[in-house]
Amino acid sequence: MINPNLTLAFENCKLEKRPALLTYIVAGDKNKNMTLNILKNISAYVDICEIGIPHNTPVADGKQIQDSSYRALKSGIKLNDVFEIVKNFKKADSTKPTILMSYFNQILQCGENNFLKKCKSVGVDGLIVVDLPFPENKQFADKCKKHHISFVQLIAPTTSDERMKQIVKHSHDMIYYISMLSTTGGKLKVTPQKILNNYFKIKKINKEKNIVIGFGITEKTIKSLRRADGLVVGSQLCKGITDSLKSNKSPVKTLTKIVKSLRSKIQ
Amino acid sequence: MIKIQKGKPIIDQHDSSYLYAGKFGGNFVPETLKKPIEDLTKLFNKLRRDKKFIKERDYYFKNYVGTPTSFIKLYNLSHQLGGAQIYAKVVSEANGGAHKIYNAIVHALICKHAGKKYIIGDTGAGYAGKMLSMAAKKFGLKCKIFMGTKDMARQKPNCDAIRANGAEIIPVDSGSKTLVDAVSECMRYWVSNCDTTHMCVGSTVGPNIFIKICAWSTAQISRELIVQIKKEFGKIPKKLKLINCVGGGSSSIGFWNSFMDFNKKQVEFIGVEAGGPKNSKLHAAPLTNKSKIGILHGAAQYVLQDKEGQISETQSISAGLDYPGVSPLHCFLKDAKRARYTSATDEEALAAYKLVASMEKIRPSLEPAHAFAEAIKIAPRLSQDTIIIVNSCGDAKKDKFILEKRLGKNHD
């Protein structure tokens, strides 16, 4: 166990016989306060909060998250603001596991050690670095471990069996399985059964690891994958913010409603 | 100290993490792309050692691209400027009008060997896209080209050519609407379709394998040139300067490749980046202006960025050079001090175009016009026995509208 908050969240869900619900929103979309407000309002229904650090060249993200990221950057959000959001959120809900999602360049420019120190001081529990795959991430993952921050390894449908074993071996508390060949926000183009088959293939390598599935998961598809340890919804929430802003509605209310509904579907 | 190894192709001088000099390049990609990149790496390693494949490549280079492109002396320009003797390697004679055809042909061949029917690529100036659409047509592949909407507007002649070849242009309207966004969007498409589709990166940028394939393809330029030089001078001249524009860096690396092992005092490499509009801070010259190392499109490189790692917007009259990063190979050459990098402004490039076009028969596009600007700058103060060769790697047809706007209707 590297991070107790994360492990406990998964254990609680297992006791309740349901998958963990993980949500993703971009920090600073559409501004700092709104992000904090959303987090505080959805927290009661969410098991793990993922927060994206916006990047202006997000090669792995589809349109929804790109839109969120550009909005956040336009609002002038800086890395320190992201940490401040986490800090304030943790003040309100100290045990809610919080994962930051980033591209590696942002960590590199901040300095790996400096970045981790800041994460630790505000209470970040885990990190996902989209473009730092295994084995290139070994050294950084070790550093995370020393700070009791869980480095989340990713596995894709293209990952070979041998590589999968290596990744599972080097993983921390949680592994992220990418459901299909897609950027974030794509429509689910494979059957839930096929996704679950791959999921159980990973699970078989080590039953102790918590595996979450992400990409293409929405209110419509979430129920079909409820056998997983956890499910991540991101783009639908980013789209929720976009739609609310367009129609002059409150993104906080919209997102709370979506998250409540997501939770009810896996209860 | 960083050193270039002699007798070993520059593209192979990386470590097990695919980093040059331990810090440039690599494969900073989403997990999904790990396997396709590994497969492509294996396939290319096999093909480049396969005599049949080399024969196939050379056949198309000779009969379709039209090799060798000519090597000519620019008598009038040399005479006018005094000093060094100026020559041009007229790579723009290649089928399609620029060096991008080499990379396009090789990628199309690889795509066929991989058994894939779809090919995608990015483009800035439109040449990489035009050439890929030509190669796709030649080999019966379905082709999509990703292009920023700003570039589509300013390089319309190439867009028309891409469509005429039966390829589809996917307009990219995000970010700065230029090459950087086109490459991102093309990579995104590949993430979603890597099982059926082959990706061609249009320059020596991106994950390592794409840098390798591109540099291996454009190396044709210097393979021809070294023979042509020996024929012209009987040997390699004592003072030779090879000047090339640098955006992503594909033409320059190919122009220099065969001369890598020469002492730099004998064969100097000069790379010219895009300085942007005069007095503007928005340039596209990461090597000249001491940018920090960052990650862009899967590779570590000197890249224009802010303190937090956000990639900066660039501005250049030349769409082909309008890119915030640069090939990890050039970062390697810079740090090893094998090549020298400088920049030319939009105005200098325009003036260089005007001078060359008025005195000589060639019409360099705005990209090589940057290289000519440097040649024009340094030639007068060099000795008569100094030989300058400029890679005239693109033809100005695509810049027709920009040239008319900036220099008037009868610009040459």
Side-chain angles (χ1 to χ4, degrees):
Chain A
M1 187 173 73
I2 285 159
N3 183 285
N5 274 345
L6 268 171
T7 317
L8 196 64
F10 282 110
E11 275 172 14
N12 282 338
C13 293
K14 268 164 208 161
L15 287 175
E16 291 178 22
K17 295 199 164 91
R18 63 172 178 88
L21 177 61
L22 294 87
T23 53
Y24 169 94
I25 52 171
V26 175
D29 180 20
K30 133 191 195 198
N31 54 50
K32 275 197 287 189
N33 289 339
M34 190 180 280
T35 305
L36 187 60
N37 247 328
I38 292 172
L39 288 169
K40 283 181 179 169
N41 276 281
I42 63 174
S43 186
Y45 315 101
V46 176
D47 300 292
I48 297 167
C49 290
E50 285 183 17
I51 303 170
I53 305 174
H55 187 34
N56 72 352
T57 317
V59 292
D61 287 306
K63 187 167 185 314
Q64 305 304 341
I65 294 179
Q66 282 179 50
D67 285 349
S68 276
S69 302
Y70 295 141
R71 258 195 316 262
L73 289 168
K74 214 173 164 191
S75 82
I77 189 121
K78 300 279 181 224
L79 188 57
N80 275 336
D81 300 321
V82 180
F83 288 125
E84 201 187 304
I85 291 170
V86 177
K87 194 171 153 188
N88 288 328
F89 174 54
K90 285 276 181 161
K91 263 187 203 158
D93 195 345
S94 66
T95 56
K96 185 70 64 186
T98 305
I99 294 177
L100 284 184
M101 201 156 167
S102 179
Y103 284 85
F104 190 49
N105 197 36
Q106 292 154 297
I107 298 171
L108 205 62
Q109 300 313 319
C110 179
E112 290 183 7
N113 295 329
N114 190 24
F115 184 86
L116 288 173
K117 235 188 266 167
K118 283 187 179 173
C119 284
K120 188 73 208 159
S121 75
V122 297
V124 170
D125 299 285
L127 275 177
I128 300 175
V129 189
V130 187
D131 55 350
L132 190 64
F134 180 84
E136 283 85 351
N137 60 31
K138 264 178 159 169
Q139 213 184 355
F140 184 66
D142 284 346
K143 279 186 189 173
C144 291
K145 194 174 169 180
K146 278 185 196 137
H147 286 82
H148 298 283
I149 293 170
S150 207
F151 183 88
V152 180
Q153 295 283 0
L154 293 133
I155 292 179
T158 47
T159 309
S160 68
D161 291 0
E162 184 47 41
R163 189 172 158 75
M164 202 182 273
K165 276 184 205 156
Q166 285 295 318
I167 293 176
V168 172
K169 195 178 150 196
H170 285 86
S171 68
H172 294 170
D173 306 294
M174 170 182 149
I175 295 170
Y176 192 124
Y177 178 65
I178 299 166
S179 66
M180 57 179 171
L181 301 184
S182 173
T183 50
T184 54
K187 205 173 164 225
L188 205 60
K189 56 182 180 181
V190 250
T191 62
Q193 194 50 53
K194 213 168 167 192
I195 297 169
L196 286 170
N197 286 349
N198 282 338
Y199 167 89
F200 284 114
K201 206 161 114 187
I202 309 166
K203 196 75 189 168
K204 231 173 115 181
I205 299 170
N206 186 343
K207 287 199 181 73
E208 303 298 310
K209 300 284 182 183
N210 296 298
I211 304 166
V212 304
I213 304 176
F215 284 47
I217 298 178
T218 62
E219 278 176 278
K220 274 185 190 152
T221 55
I222 195 163
K223 202 172 176 179
S224 62
L225 295 164
R226 71 183 303 280
R227 287 168 70 196
D229 293 333
L231 296 164
V232 192
V233 182
S235 294
Q236 199 201 347
L237 301 181
C238 294
K239 185 170 182 295
I241 298 179
T242 305
D243 292 346
S244 305
L245 291 171
K246 263 188 202 155
S247 54
N248 269 327
K249 284 183 186 149
S250 152
V252 182
K253 278 187 189 156
T254 310
L255 262 63
T256 311
K257 204 177 139 205
I258 301 173
V259 172
K260 261 191 202 172
S261 147
L262 286 164
R263 175 66 182 266
S264 73
K265 294 201 154 79
I266 52 170
Q267 206 57 38
Chain B
M1 209 181 93
I2 293 168
K3 267 194 170 169
I4 310 267
Q5 291 176 56
K6 286 192 176 175
K8 186 177 180 180
I10 186 98
I11 55 173
D12 296 327
Q13 297 189 25
H14 55 71
D15 60 20
S16 59
S17 305
Y18 295 95
L19 293 168
Y20 299 99
K23 56 183 173 179
F24 302 118
N27 289 315
F28 296 92
V29 294
E31 173 62 23
T32 308
L33 290 183
K34 269 284 190 178
K35 178 78 169 35
I37 283 176
E38 195 190 306
D39 291 346
L40 182 59
T41 304
K42 276 187 194 155
L43 178 63
F44 179 64
N45 280 343
K46 198 182 98 191
L47 291 174
R48 68 187 276 208
R49 284 170 183 84
D50 178 353
K51 278 184 191 148
K52 254 169 72 188
F53 181 73
I54 302 289
K55 231 174 137 180
E56 206 180 354
R57 175 199 70 179
D58 290 345
Y59 173 83
Y60 288 107
F61 276 8
K62 185 160 186 282
N63 298 296
Y64 184 70
V65 177
T67 56
T69 57
S70 59
F71 172 58
I72 58 167
K73 181 163 185 188
L74 305 178
Y75 285 98
N76 300 331
L77 192 65
S78 302
H79 184 73
Q80 165 84 10
L81 295 170
Q85 307 301 305
I86 305 175
Y87 287 74
K89 171 75 176 153
V90 195
V91 172
S92 59
E93 284 172 359
N95 193 5
H99 66 286
K100 298 287 185 194
I101 190 72
Y102 303 110
N103 187 43
I105 288 285
V106 170
H107 269 286
L109 285 171
I110 293 173
C111 181
K112 288 283 267 189
H113 280 269
K116 290 182 173 171
K117 291 193 182 94
Y118 302 92
I119 195 162
I120 55 167
D122 57 80
T123 198
Y127 270 137
K130 178 183 165 187
M131 308 307 179
L132 194 65
S133 68
M134 284 165 59
K137 192 178 170 192
K138 175 96 190 148
F139 295 104
L141 303 165
K142 281 218 153 162
C143 178
K144 282 186 206 292
I145 300 296
F146 294 80
M147 191 170 188
T149 46
K150 183 180 169 189
D151 290 339
M152 286 174 70
R154 61 177 163 172
Q155 308 277 232
K156 193 175 172 295
N158 275 349
C159 294
D160 296 342
I162 293 168
R163 292 197 181 104
N165 288 325
E168 183 188 354
I169 299 179
I170 311 287
V172 181
D173 206 31
S174 56
S176 57
K177 308 176 201 307
T178 57
L179 179 58
V180 64
D181 310 289
V183 178
S184 300
E185 198 57 31
C186 189
M187 282 179 80
R188 288 185 193 112
Y189 185 89
W190 198 43
V191 169
S192 304
N193 298 281
C194 55
D195 50 345
T196 57
T197 305
H198 175 76
M199 178 170 79
C200 163
V201 177
S203 188
T204 39
V205 298
N208 178 266
I209 187 59
F210 296 100
I211 294 172
K212 275 189 167 174
I213 295 174
C214 185
W216 185 82
S217 309
T218 54
Q220 174 66 21
I221 303 170
S222 58
R223 255 198 313 273
E224 292 170 14
L225 181 63
I226 201 162
V227 176
Q228 289 166 323
I229 287 178
K230 282 177 187 162
K231 203 174 158 201
E232 172 84 13
F233 305 102
K235 58 177 183 185
I236 304 300
K238 285 220 172 74
K239 289 181 221 164
L240 179 61
K241 294 185 190 303
L242 301 179
I243 308 183
N244 206 125
C245 59
V246 176
S250 61
S251 68
S252 42
I253 212 75
F255 186 51
W256 297 341
N257 187 61
S258 295
F259 302 90
M260 213 52 86
D261 289 352
F262 283 90
N263 186 309
K264 70 174 177 189
K265 281 183 185 147
Q266 184 180 3
V267 183
E268 191 188 13
F269 300 160
I270 304 169
V272 188
E273 298 186 300
K278 199 177 162 191
N279 300 326
S280 148
K281 281 195 179 139
L282 290 173
H283 52 82
L287 295 174
T288 312
N289 294 335
K290 298 197 175 108
S291 299
K292 277 185 74 184
I293 296 176
I295 293 164
L296 174 62
H297 296 141
Q301 62 200 273
Y302 290 117
V303 56
L304 296 158
Q305 57 180 327
D306 70 9
K307 268 190 257 165
E308 304 217 325
Q310 306 292 348
I311 306 302
S312 307
E313 282 201 19
T314 55
Q315 196 187 350
S316 168
I317 193 168
S318 143
L321 306 182
D322 204 352
Y323 185 69
V326 65
S327 177
L329 292 172
H330 285 290
C331 301
F332 182 30
L333 291 178
K334 179 187 160 75
D335 276 22
K337 299 196 168 71
R338 179 63 189 91
R340 169 169 84 79
Y341 295 89
T342 182
S343 65
T345 62
D346 289 357
E347 290 76 9
E348 287 169 324
L350 281 166
Y353 168 82
K354 209 174 163 180
L355 187 64
V356 173
S358 68
M359 308 198 90
E360 304 288 347
K361 276 188 182 149
I362 53 170
R363 297 287 174 275
S365 67
L366 286 166
E367 289 78 19
H370 282 72
F372 277 108
E374 177 66 12
I376 291 164
K377 211 183 280 175
I378 65 171
R381 38 185 161 93
L382 294 171
S383 60
Q384 294 262 337
D385 61 344
T386 304
I387 306 299
I388 288 178
I389 306 174
V390 178
N391 181 2
S392 194
C393 58
D395 186 274
K397 272 189 206 115
K398 69 167 179 70
D399 296 325
K400 188 170 169 255
F401 300 115
I402 303 173
L403 292 168
E404 275 179 13
K405 198 173 155 199
R406 298 290 293 262
L407 301 174
K409 277 257 180 215
N410 299 311
H411 47 75
D412 57 323

